[in-house]
Amino acid sequence: MPEKTTKPNIPQHIAIIMDGNGRWAKQNGKARVFGHKNGVKSVRSVTEGAARAGVKFLTLYAFSTENWNRPKAEVTALMQLLVNTISKETKTLNKNNIRLKAIGDLQSLPGNCYSELQAAMDKTAGNKGMTLVLALSYSSRWEIVDATKKLLNDVKQGRINSEEVNETLFNSYLCTHDIPDPDLLIRTSGEYRISNFLLWQLAYSELYFTPKLWPDFREEDLLEAIDDYNKRERRFGKTSEQLSEEQSAHE
Ligand code: IPE
Ligand code: IPE
Ligand code: MG
């Protein structure tokens, strides 16, 4: 009998905390911005790699609410890089059938950044292959408070009754309401923390940490993370035995 081969289970949604650009630049004797510029090459490689692998949603943490507190010159350079990259990459996104989305407090972005982003989202809106979600001026606590304010307003206006509030309803107020929770979270640069990213959505995600700095992280590193993910057993609170029984009932 031919040996049974199991196809790798591709996570439907991968979220990445792209960290280590500054340290990478320092190692190369350059200014931090040099690290961010090289980080864009990793974004390209990982985005195309994820689409090729069949990932449906890729969320990249590009700028946190707390990152506004960095030196002004770095913030300005990052925003400029964002504007340039988004406008340059729109064609490639279309070629690869990738739809661009953004989550975060987008109103707080500089005007040119917001308009480039909006233009790229409009131009790629019809693509059905993969959704690339950029987390920009994003923090999970901001998102949860923002969702709560909107929910309270709907209660006040009589559009919903407070008894109706449950996880599904609350979820519908988050920026990620139309995106499934991440199956896999990757953080580069050897830091073991979440840094205010998707706190609600990561409830049952598998976590993968790598010492590689973001500008060194490429498609093959993503595939390695997916391989590691395939070795995990996601139990969602159940027992291993229950999962095996469910599996055989499905076969
Ligand atoms: C991640 O790299 C990029 C952003 C947060 C915008 P860092 O800039 O945080 O690099 P390190 O952590 O200082 O090395
Ligand atoms: C998290 O990285 C934010 C992004 C990758 C955009 P940081 O470098 O800002 O996180 P901390 O400060 O080390 O926790
Ligand atoms: Mg960092």
Side-chain angles (χ1 to χ4, degrees), residues 18-23 32 36 62-63 67 70 74 78:
M18 311 183 287
D19 199 14
N21 295 352
R23 277 163 283 170
R32 295 180 59 84
H36 297 315
F63 195 84
N67 289 150
R70 290 193 176 190
E74 182 172 349
L78 271 168

Side-chain angles (χ1 to χ4, degrees), residues 214-231:
W214 178 250
D216 288 329
F217 194 89
R218 288 292 189 275
E219 177 174 2
E220 51 272 25
D221 302 295
L222 178 80
L223 298 179
E224 219 172 275
I226 295 175
D227 274 352
D228 193 86
Y229 169 82
N230 269 284
K231 296 187 196 117

Side-chain angles (χ1 to χ4, degrees), residues 15-20 59-62 185-189 193-197 202 209 214:
I16 308 184
I17 302 177
M18 311 183 287
D19 199 14
T59 301
L60 302 178
Y61 202 6
L185 170 82
I186 299 172
R187 182 170 189 149
T188 59
S189 90
R193 54 177 173 266
I194 301 295
S195 301
N196 217 347
F197 191 43
L202 293 174
F209 298 98
W214 178 250

Side-chain angles (χ1 to χ4, degrees), residues 31-132:
R32 295 180 59 84
V33 181
F34 183 71
H36 297 315
K37 284 190 178 146
N38 278 275
V40 175
K41 294 179 191 161
S42 303
V43 169
R44 218 174 277 135
S45 167
V46 166
T47 303
E48 289 182 18
R52 252 194 293 274
V55 171
K56 283 288 168 203
F57 295 87
L58 175 69
T59 301
L60 302 178
Y61 202 6
F63 195 84
S64 74
T65 307
E66 289 77 19
N67 289 150
W68 289 114
N69 299 321
R70 290 193 176 190
K72 198 167 174 281
E74 182 172 349
V75 172
T76 310
L78 271 168
M79 290 300 146
Q80 197 49 50
L81 188 62
L82 202 69
V83 173
N84 295 344
T85 309
I86 290 170
S87 56
K88 264 218 302 261
E89 298 296 322
T90 310
K91 243 201 225 146
T92 319
L93 292 177
N94 278 331
K95 200 182 93 209
N96 292 312
N97 199 17
I98 299 171
R99 174 173 71 128
L100 184 70
K101 259 188 76 95
I103 55 169
D105 185 10
L106 306 180
Q107 307 298 330
S108 68
L109 296 171
N112 61 340
C113 197
Y114 182 79
S115 50
E116 280 300 340
L117 188 65
Q118 197 55 56
M121 290 195 288
D122 291 345
K123 283 185 198 149
T124 61
N127 295 340
K128 298 274 186 301
M130 183 180 84
T131 303
L132 171 65

Side-chain angles (χ1 to χ4, degrees), residues 183-208:
D183 301 293
L184 172 64
L185 170 82
I186 299 172
R187 182 170 189 149
T188 59
S189 90
E191 305 293 356
Y192 299 94
R193 54 177 173 266
I194 301 295
S195 301
N196 217 347
F197 191 43
L198 303 174
L199 299 177
W200 168 279
Q201 297 86 340
L202 293 174
Y204 267 106
S205 308
E206 293 298 325
L207 310 181
Y208 180 87

